[in-house]
Amino acid sequence: MAQAATIAGLYQEKRNTVIALLTDFGAADIYVGVMKGVILSIDPQAQIVDITHSIQPQNVRQAAFALLNSYRYFPEGTVFLVVVDPGVGTDRKPVAVHAGKYKFVAPDNGVLSYVLYELRDAFAVELNNSSYQLAGVSSSFHGRDIFAPAAAHLGKGVALRALGTPLLNPVTLPEPELHITGKRVTGEVMHIDHFGNIITNIGSLRWSAPERLTLSQRFGEFTTLPIPAPSVTIELADTSLTGVRRAFGEAERGELLALVDSNGFLEIAVNQGSAVARLDVTIGDRVELQIG
């Protein structure tokens, strides 16, 4: 019986809620640590995971894309605390959303848009119940005073509706530009990672045969398009390259190549180098894929 009780206790510990943080705060300042302190003061058993704190400052679209590519790998019940908030202190609303198997806490500036395009069935509240906020809310650090407390209380089991009043129409961003015209696909750069790899919104891509890809449009109207991987042409920043590879190692060291990233999007990279340094592109730049 004692052994059974011990095992039950271990399983109870494993059910502690994960709170996943995604911000543009960086690592040089106290902001991330302070938010974690607030969370742990409310829920000492919370399991806190850092997704990233290296979003470009105020880049809401980049944060939305990062969240889209990470949320599904977390356990059911995870609370995502997303603070990329150029409108802090203005009349933009703080929100919490229950969508799918997850909860999200963020400013109402569209940062949750891409996830909600996928999950669709969502319920949102404006975080306006001061009982679940720190006393004396500042005008410049809602991550500490509003968002972190909300995430911690949700993690402890407080009902979403207790945190505020229903919000019917959260702010949404336009879907990323992706156009398929005949045999030409036009998209844009969505992310540049730590290695200098350039991630586009052309996807989802999957290998359907050894030398053939299938494109299923991730945003907008659903469509599928077969792509002959060896002969397709990619154009970006006055540079043209031919073919999509399966892995970095299929290119020589220092060679520019295109491949499918781990989330199914078209990626431009340099094997053991930096594509962004080679091409001098930025988020939002146009990229084209020409078939045949």
Side-chain angles (χ1 to χ4, degrees):
M1 292 293 291
Q3 183 179 8
T6 301
I7 293 172
L10 291 173
Y11 277 101
Q12 181 64 40
E13 288 180 10
K14 289 182 180 181
R15 287 199 293 270
N16 293 339
T17 299
V18 173
I19 299 178
L21 276 60
L22 192 158
T23 79
D24 59 353
F25 290 165
D29 298 301
I30 67 171
Y31 309 127
V32 174
V34 167
M35 287 201 306
K36 291 181 180 180
V38 170
I39 292 168
L40 294 171
S41 295
I42 295 168
D43 182 8
Q45 302 304 314
Q47 299 181 42
I48 302 174
V49 175
D50 299 291
I51 299 176
T52 183
H53 300 293
S54 297
I55 298 297
Q56 290 181 352
Q58 294 88 49
N59 196 324
V60 174
R61 292 178 74 245
Q62 186 189 25
F65 192 66
L67 183 64
L68 173 69
N69 287 325
S70 56
Y71 82 91
R72 65 178 59 84
Y73 299 104
F74 283 78
E76 180 177 348
T78 295
V79 178
F80 292 90
L81 175 53
V82 184
V83 189
V84 177
D85 194 14
V88 62
T90 69
D91 60 358
R92 73 95 186 91
K93 296 177 175 65
V95 298
V97 180
H98 187 181
K101 300 176 181 179
Y102 306 105
K103 296 181 178 71
F104 303 86
V105 176
D108 186 29
N109 59 9
V111 73
L112 303 180
S113 296
Y114 300 162
V115 164
L116 298 183
Y117 289 148
E118 285 201 343
L119 297 179
R120 300 291 180 182
D121 186 18
F123 174 74
V125 299
E126 179 182 353
L127 298 173
N128 53 20
N129 186 344
S130 61
S131 298
Y132 296 101
Q133 301 174 5
L134 297 192
V137 173
S138 71
S139 60
S140 61
F141 197 1
H142 287 182
R144 175 193 66 194
D145 301 333
I146 298 177
F147 298 126
H153 286 297
L154 286 172
K156 286 190 73 175
V158 172
L160 193 78
R161 291 178 181 272
L163 302 184
T165 53
L167 182 67
L168 297 180
N169 296 299
V171 172
T172 56
L173 300 173
E175 294 182 352
E177 292 288 334
L178 182 61
H179 302 290
I180 300 176
T181 306
K183 293 187 176 182
R184 180 174 291 271
V185 181
T186 304
E188 60 183 302
V189 174
M190 293 297 296
H191 178 65
I192 297 165
D193 72 12
H194 169 74
F195 298 99
N197 301 322
I198 299 165
I199 316 300
T200 78
N201 69 319
I202 296 178
S204 297
L205 290 163
R206 65 178 180 83
W207 291 97
S208 54
E211 295 189 343
R212 182 170 294 273
L213 287 162
T214 298
L215 169 67
S216 299
Q217 191 166 337
R218 189 70 170 268
F219 299 99
E221 296 182 4
F222 181 79
T223 186
T224 58
L225 186 68
I227 298 173
S231 60
V232 69
T233 301
I234 298 100
E235 298 176 2
L236 173 64
D238 298 322
T239 299
S240 179
L241 61 157
T242 300
V244 177
R245 316 285 183 90
R246 283 184 173 270
F248 292 97
E250 292 185 3
E252 297 293 329
R253 181 174 181 177
E255 183 182 352
L256 188 70
L257 72 151
L259 67 160
V260 179
D261 86 339
S262 59
N263 294 299
F265 291 102
L266 182 69
E267 174 179 334
I268 312 301
V270 170
N271 185 19
Q272 301 181 53
S274 170
V276 72
R278 176 83 60 88
L279 300 179
D280 190 27
V281 301
T282 190
I283 292 172
D285 282 358
R286 179 186 179 101
V287 57
E288 292 188 352
L289 183 151
Q290 179 68 47
I291 302 169

